[in-house]
Amino acid sequence: MNEVFDRPPSDGQQVMTVTYYELYKYVRSARMVGILALAALIVALILVIPPALGQEYPKDPAYFAQRFFLWSSVLIVVGATLFAGDSLASEFQSRTGYLMFPNPVKRWVYFTGKLLASLITMFLVLSVFYIVVSLLTIGHSQTFSDLTYRSFGLSLLYIVAAVGVGYLVSAVMKGATGALVFTFAILFLIFPILDGVLSFAGAKPAFSVTFSAQAISYIMQTPYPTDQQLTLPTGGAFGGGGAAGSTVEVWNYYPDVGTAALVMIIYAVITIAAALVIFQRRDMAA
């Protein structure tokens, strides 16, 4: 008995303890119900709407699965917002840090435990989503596309990058609600708008994490799509876009798979490292 008290839990054991209770909190929360409901809604709508409009599903298993994987990034952004956006900020807003931080537990232990819980939760949600889609693909096409593994691998990388962005925002923001909103805005609005503006201007946004995430669905296409320059009419007198016969050049950019994976890894490393440094130095009164 005395040996137990003489040897306090190691840092690794404390990380597992924090991870366990964070996972327990997530599993019992309405957020878990919400993200699973969103995944079920995505699958249901894609299954129901095309037949209702008289459209047939593609026989190719890769193209069939791609219709679902188009929404993987949306599911990841919502999940990163729910399970990472306020993970750190809530400790400062609710003042629970006054109870946690004086304990003989290092801050990086709290950070690592929370981060692992967020990542495990999102990995489980995406795994369930991909398993369900794969079963539907087998039921529809009686076969399975090997490209699904690559799409799943890219999805896992995007989860780490998106959760990293959420933790960085959460480490900086004072309020939990603001952290949630700002995380969602960065990944769902700001970066996608920047991607669109740069593409329209003829500059490939290869550095963007949301642009890189598009490889999750494009990788299901054979051959993989390449960048295209399109010349479109502006509409003339009726289109309000200029004189009749005038045109505008528009670029369709597609992320290179290797570059996209590298960009997501860089985002994950930088955001998580920055969030850890800020969290360790942040004062409760800040």
Side-chain angles (χ1 to χ4, degrees), residues 3-22 104-106 108-110 112-114 116:
E3 293 181 356
V4 175
F5 293 104
D6 291 341
R7 293 185 301 173
S10 65
D11 291 343
Q13 291 173 322
Q14 292 175 356
V15 168
M16 292 298 105
T17 301
V18 175
T19 303
Y20 171 79
Y21 283 105
E22 283 293 310
V105 180
K106 301 179 180 68
W108 72 263
V109 170
Y110 283 122
T112 305
K114 286 174 171 289
L116 286 177

Side-chain angles (χ1 to χ4, degrees), residues 215-234:
I216 294 173
S217 61
Y218 287 137
I219 201 169
M220 301 301 294
Q221 297 184 23
T222 305
Y224 191 85
T226 56
D227 298 342
Q228 295 178 334
Q229 185 181 24
L230 305 177
T231 302
L232 303 176
T234 56

Side-chain angles (χ1 to χ4, degrees), residues 15-157:
V15 168
M16 292 298 105
T17 301
V18 175
T19 303
Y20 171 79
Y21 283 105
E22 283 293 310
L23 284 173
Y24 185 72
K25 181 181 71 175
Y26 288 148
V27 171
R28 291 173 57 88
S29 70
R31 298 185 183 191
M32 178 62 78
V33 177
I35 192 71
L36 292 176
L38 176 62
L41 181 64
I42 290 173
V43 173
L45 289 177
I46 296 175
L47 283 177
V48 171
I49 291 180
L53 297 177
Q55 299 178 0
E56 295 184 356
Y57 292 115
K59 297 296 182 184
D60 188 296
Y63 284 96
F64 177 82
Q66 187 191 24
R67 295 194 172 198
F68 298 90
F69 297 157
L70 278 170
W71 299 95
S72 296
S73 58
V74 175
L75 198 60
I76 292 171
V77 169
V78 175
T81 302
L82 294 177
F83 300 111
D86 65 342
S87 185
L88 303 179
S90 60
E91 303 295 349
F92 295 92
Q93 183 184 27
S94 61
R95 301 303 180 187
T96 52
Y98 282 120
L99 300 176
M100 296 174 56
F101 299 152
N103 293 326
V105 180
K106 301 179 180 68
R107 283 204 185 190
W108 72 263
V109 170
Y110 283 122
F111 181 91
T112 305
K114 286 174 171 289
L115 178 64
L116 286 177
S118 300
L119 294 175
I120 291 172
T121 303
M122 284 305 303
F123 287 165
L124 291 176
V125 171
L126 256 293
S127 297
V128 171
F129 180 74
Y130 270 77
I131 290 173
V132 170
V133 172
S134 298
L135 292 176
L136 291 173
T137 304
I138 294 174
H140 174 73
S141 305
Q142 286 75 51
T143 187
F144 177 80
S145 173
D146 293 338
L147 295 174
T148 302
Y149 296 117
R150 300 183 183 184
S151 176
F152 183 64
L154 290 170
S155 293
L156 296 185
L157 287 179

Side-chain angles (χ1 to χ4, degrees), residues 194-280:
L194 181 63
D195 298 343
V197 172
L198 289 176
S199 297
F200 189 78
K204 187 173 183 175
F207 66 89
S208 168
V209 68
T210 52
F211 175 76
S212 300
Q214 296 177 20
I216 294 173
S217 61
Y218 287 137
I219 201 169
M220 301 301 294
Q221 297 184 23
T222 305
Y224 191 85
T226 56
D227 298 342
Q228 295 178 334
Q229 185 181 24
L230 305 177
T231 302
L232 303 176
T234 56
F238 296 99
S246 60
T247 60
V248 61
E249 293 182 346
V250 178
W251 278 90
N252 278 342
Y253 291 113
Y254 300 93
D256 175 74
V257 176
T259 304
L262 180 61
V263 167
M264 288 188 277
I265 291 173
I266 291 174
Y267 269 82
V269 172
I270 292 177
T271 54
I272 290 174
L276 175 58
V277 171
I278 295 172
F279 180 66
Q280 286 188 305

